[in-house]
Each structure stands twice: as C-alpha cells, then as structure tokens.
Amino acid sequence: SEPLAMVDVADSIALPPDLADSQGLRPGSPIMRPVEIVASGLIVLIIGVLLLGVTSRYVFSLPVIWIDEVTSISFLWLAMLGAAIAIDRNEHLRLTLFTGMMPERVRGFVETLALLVVAAFLLAMIYPAIDYAIEESFVTSAALNIPASWRVSALGFGIVTMALLAIRHAVRSSRPRDLVLASALIVAVGTAFWLAMPMLKGFGYGNILIFLVIIVALCLVAGVPIAFCFGMGTLCFITF
C-alpha cells in the first residue's frame, strides 16, 4: 500500500500538462539537430579528454600539454552551441511574472518586442565577434600550434546562429502588426539615445542608472532573457 500511496502523492503534485505552453517552452527545431549532435559530441570529448589528462598526470606522471587547449576550445564551442539551442527552445532564464499578468493582445506584442530586443543585441555583436576572430587569427596557440581564431570563432558562429533563430521565431510566432510596431519602437528608442548622446555624456555616472538599471529593468519586465537584459544594458551604456 505504501508504494501506491507514494504514487497518489506524486500524481497530486504533478506539474500541469500545459506547463510548457505557459512558460513558452518549445521543442527543438529539426534544423538544429546537427547542432545538438555536435554539442553532445563535445560533451563526450570534454569528459574523455579531461579523464585522459587526469589519468596521464596522476597515474602515469606524464602530463599531456595540449589537453588544456583542447578543453578550452571545446568548452567555448559547447557554451555557444548550447546558447543557440536554448534560443531555439526558448529555455534561456527569463522573468515571466509581469508578462503573465498582461492581457493576451498586449502580451503578444511584448513577447515580440522581447524577441526583437534579443535579435537587436545579437546583430549588434556580430561585427565585434568577427573582428575579434580576425585579430586572434594572428595568434598561435602554444601547444597545438593552431590559430587562436579556431577557439574564438565560436563566438561569431553562436551569435549569428542565435540572431537568426530569434528573428525566425519572431517572424513565425508574431502578428505582422506586432512585428512592425516592435521594430519601430526599438529603432525609435535607439535613435532617441543617439540624438541624446551629447546630453548623456554630461550625465557621467548617471548613465549607469539610465542604462544598467532602468533599461535592464524594462527588459526584465518585457520577458527578455536575463542574460540579454544585462547585455543590452551594457551595450547601450558603451554605445551611447
């Protein structure tokens, strides 16, 4: 009777079947299957390489000098591929308290705005990521003797992939009117900050309140993933 009682308790506290819908989670897209396979392979590679390093160093006293570089390259690529997979599945951590209280029509617009804010941030980061990879191509790693761009190219690849996925989902899930209005709002805010640059420069540390507190808070309320809230606030602070 005890196992049956445990089953009854488990059923009584089970999550609602529509939890995924209420949280905005979605299954991975078929186009991301190759990325998921590569990410899984990287996990296996990292575990295997680290195990090899520990075994060779502490069992046979023969340290393998290239293991740190392989692990570092694999970790960065895994992080960026994982971030892209999370964009595809809408699994980045975000605050849904306020969007959940909004009327359905307003919530649709705000969710579109949040997606486009993510896309705008990522599009703005593409050039710096590519430029950084080009600069690192002149640096050779110590152990593997390969260009350092092999490692940092993960940034550009991940950013471009995430931007395309965010735009794709915004187009597929949003009403055309919401897309136009949200895009116009982002452009208007960016233009206003650009025109206000001479005044903003005079605020000094007051810009921290504007960009790293107010902008971040507004993005949080709109349901922008938390990482991108701080990313957008920092980008605006540096730019304007």
Side-chain angles (χ1 to χ4, degrees):
S1 60
E2 184 176 351
L4 291 176
M6 294 176 63
V7 171
D8 292 339
V9 172
D11 290 340
S12 66
I13 62 175
L15 295 175
D18 60 343
L19 176 64
D21 294 335
S22 65
Q23 296 296 326
L25 302 180
R26 51 184 179 265
S29 304
I31 61 173
M32 291 296 290
R33 294 293 182 267
V35 175
E36 294 171 357
I37 293 172
V38 173
S40 302
L42 285 173
I43 293 177
V44 175
L45 174 63
I46 291 170
I47 294 173
V49 169
L50 290 177
L51 180 60
L52 172 64
V54 171
T55 303
S56 64
R57 180 182 296 272
Y58 295 105
V59 177
F60 300 106
S61 299
L62 296 172
V64 182
I65 60 174
W66 50 263
I67 284 181
D68 288 342
E69 289 187 7
V70 171
T71 305
S72 175
I73 294 171
S74 300
F75 263 123
L76 185 55
W77 275 96
L78 178 61
M80 298 310 298
L81 295 182
I85 293 171
I87 285 285
D88 180 51
R89 298 181 179 183
N90 198 26
E91 290 181 340
H92 279 282
L93 187 63
R94 62 193 182 101
L95 184 66
T96 58
L97 172 65
F98 298 102
T99 55
M101 295 187 295
M102 297 176 183
E104 183 177 355
R105 186 168 184 81
V106 176
R107 183 168 65 248
F109 168 76
V110 172
E111 289 177 350
T112 301
L113 178 64
L115 279 170
L116 292 182
V117 167
V118 171
F121 169 75
L122 292 168
L123 290 173
M125 296 302 297
I126 290 177
Y127 174 77
I130 295 176
D131 187 57
Y132 181 45
I134 293 174
E135 290 181 359
E136 288 294 293
S137 65
F138 300 103
V139 180
T140 302
S141 63
L144 296 175
N145 291 318
I146 60 175
S149 57
W150 285 32
R151 175 175 178 269
V152 299
S153 292
L155 298 174
F157 179 85
I159 289 171
V160 170
T161 303
M162 285 188 284
L164 292 176
L165 288 170
I167 294 172
R168 174 178 178 266
H169 182 61
V171 171
R172 289 165 62 97
S173 64
S174 304
R175 294 187 293 266
R177 181 174 179 271
D178 290 341
L179 278 173
V180 174
L181 291 178
S183 301
L185 179 59
I186 293 174
V187 172
V189 172
T191 302
F193 279 134
W194 181 267
L195 295 176
M197 281 178 65
M199 181 176 61
L200 293 172
K201 290 180 179 179
F203 287 168
Y205 290 112
N207 288 301
I208 294 178
L209 175 64
I210 297 173
F211 295 111
L212 300 182
V213 177
I214 297 176
I215 293 297
V216 170
L218 291 175
C219 289
L220 283 171
V221 170
V224 177
I226 294 174
F228 295 97
C229 291
F230 289 98
M232 179 57 79
T234 304
L235 178 64
C236 290
F237 178 81
I238 293 173
T239 303
F240 301 118

